[in-house]
Amino acid sequence: MDNFIFSVNATMPVFLTMVLGMFFKRIGLFDDTFVSRINKFVFTAALPALLFRDLSGVDFTAVWDGKMVGFCFLVTIVCILVSIGISCFVDKKIQGEFIQASYRSSAAILGIAFIQNIYGTTELTSLMVIACVPMYNAMAVVVLSLFKPDRGKLDGKLIRKTAKGIVTNPIILGIAAGTAWSLLRLPQPVIMEKTIENLSVLATPLGLMAMGGSIQLKQAFSRPGTTAVSVAMKLCGYVIIFLPVAVHMGFITEKLVAILIMLGSSTTVSSFVMARNMGHDGQFTSGVVMMTTLLSALTLTAELFILRSMGLI
C-alpha cells in the first residue's frame, strides 16, 4: 500500500494539473491562442530558467554521467529505427506522423515535473534531455520530410534551418548556460538568483496546463487501429524492452525515473505543430498526443509502482 500511495502521489499531481488545463479550456478561461502562447513562453523562457537554476547551483562535474547520456542517446536512436520499421505496415499517408508520434516523448516538461515532484531536483533530467531532445527534433524533420504523403525530397534548406534550430534551442541553451556557470563556479547575486527563481517556478504548472489545454478529444478516433499501435509503442513497448536493460546497467532512483519518462511518457504536443507545418494533415498525431497524455496517467503510475516495489526508486 505504501508503494501504491508513493506512485499515486508522484503521478496524480502532475496529471491533475494537466486536467486543470483541459477544464480551463472547457470553460473558456483558456483558448487556442492563449494555450499556444503559454507553450511558447514555457519553452523559450520558463523551462530554460529552471534548468539553468538547477545546474548553475551544483557541481556539474559531480552530476555528469557519461554512461547515462550514452545510454539515452543510443536508446533514442534504436526507438526511432524501430518506429520507422513498424511504420512500413501502416497507411503511407500517415507514415511520417506515425514514426514521430511513436518515439517523440514529452521528455523535458514531464521529466522535470515528475523528478521534481518525487526528488525535488532536476539536474539528472538535464542529462536525459541533452541525450534525446536534439535527436528528437532533428529526426522529426527528417522523417516528416522523407515520409510526406506526396513523398517529396528532403530539403537542404530545411535541414540547415533545423540544425540552426537545434543549436539555438532555448532548452539546450539553458542547459549549456547552467553548465558553464557551474563549471566556472561563478557566484549569483541575490537579485539575479531570486529573479530566476520566480521565473523558473512557472515552468512546471504552466507547461502542464498548456499540455492539457492542447488536447483535442475529437481527433482521437480518426484511425483507431493505427492509433492504438502507436499509443502502445509509446507508453509500453519501449519501456518493456529498454527499462530492464537500464536496470541491468545499474541505473536507479532519479536516473531510472528520467529514463522511464524518456521511454514511456506521452507524445509531445509540439509533434502536432511540426507535422502540420511540414505538410501533413496532423489529425493522426493529435489523436496519439491526446490518447498518450490521458493513458500515461495510468501506465506511468503502474510503472512507478512496480519500480518502487522492487526497491529501485
Side-chain angles (χ1 to χ4, degrees):
M1 180 58 69
D2 290 341
N3 293 334
F4 176 74
I5 293 174
F6 171 88
S7 303
V8 170
N9 286 338
T11 57
M12 286 304 104
V14 172
F15 290 106
L16 288 176
T17 306
M18 294 173 62
V19 171
L20 280 177
M22 296 175 64
F23 174 72
F24 292 152
K25 177 78 175 295
R26 182 75 174 177
I27 65 175
L29 194 58
F30 288 2
D31 60 20
D32 290 335
T33 301
F34 184 67
V35 168
S36 177
R37 287 176 177 171
I38 292 178
N39 270 317
K40 185 175 181 180
F41 168 76
V42 170
F43 179 74
T44 59
L47 266 180
L50 175 61
L51 293 166
F52 173 84
R53 182 200 69 182
D54 287 344
L55 286 173
S56 62
V58 301
D59 182 358
F60 189 77
T61 57
V63 175
W64 176 259
D65 187 338
K67 178 181 176 182
M68 179 181 176
V69 173
F71 176 82
C72 291
F73 180 76
L74 290 175
V75 167
T76 298
I77 292 176
V78 174
C79 290
I80 294 170
L81 293 176
V82 171
S83 298
I84 292 173
I86 295 177
S87 75
C88 296
F89 301 97
V90 307
D91 188 338
K92 303 304 179 184
K93 293 180 180 179
I94 61 166
Q95 190 173 5
E97 291 191 61
F98 177 90
I99 296 169
Q100 184 192 206
S102 298
Y103 79 77
R104 196 173 178 190
S105 299
S106 301
I109 292 178
L110 284 185
I112 288 171
F114 272 101
I115 294 181
Q116 192 175 51
N117 190 38
I118 299 172
Y119 297 107
T121 61
T122 61
E123 294 93 344
L124 293 175
T125 312
S126 302
L127 300 180
M128 179 266 288
V129 170
I130 289 171
C132 69
V133 168
M135 182 61 66
Y136 283 167
N137 294 336
M139 288 305 299
V141 172
V142 173
V143 300
L144 290 174
S145 298
L146 288 178
F147 297 98
K148 280 184 179 180
D150 57 6
R151 290 296 188 270
K153 294 182 179 180
L154 188 62
D155 191 294
K157 182 179 179 181
L158 187 59
I159 294 176
R160 290 190 295 272
K161 182 179 178 181
T162 302
K164 180 181 178 181
I166 293 171
V167 173
T168 59
N169 184 302
I171 294 176
I172 301 301
L173 290 178
I175 293 172
T179 303
W181 203 280
S182 172
L183 292 174
L184 294 173
R185 302 185 183 278
L186 299 174
Q188 286 192 35
V190 174
I191 294 176
M192 174 184 174
E193 184 177 354
K194 290 188 175 181
T195 302
I196 293 174
E197 174 68 24
N198 290 337
L199 179 58
S200 65
V201 295
L202 300 174
T204 299
L206 285 182
L208 292 173
M209 284 190 284
M211 285 184 67
S214 301
I215 293 174
Q216 301 290 336
L217 293 174
K218 64 181 180 180
Q219 304 293 347
F221 306 107
S222 60
R223 295 175 181 267
T226 310
T227 298
V229 173
S230 182
V231 169
M233 290 170 59
K234 187 71 213 63
L235 297 183
C236 300
Y238 297 131
V239 172
I240 293 171
I241 296 171
F242 294 110
L243 202 62
V245 179
V247 172
H248 179 71
M249 293 182 65
F251 296 116
I252 58 173
T253 60
E254 297 104 316
K255 294 178 183 179
L256 192 59
V257 174
I259 292 170
L260 171 63
I261 300 303
M262 180 189 76
L263 294 170
S265 65
S266 59
T267 301
T268 179
V269 175
S270 60
S271 298
F272 169 74
V273 177
M274 184 172 284
R276 289 295 298 269
N277 288 341
M278 294 186 62
H280 296 259
D281 177 70
Q283 189 176 50
F284 175 81
T285 302
S286 179
V288 174
V289 169
M290 192 276 286
M291 293 302 295
T292 54
T293 300
L294 295 179
L295 293 177
S296 60
L298 301 175
T299 57
L300 286 174
T301 300
E303 288 154 0
L304 286 172
F305 173 74
I306 293 171
L307 295 178
R308 180 72 173 182
S309 299
M310 296 173 67
L312 296 171
I313 62 173

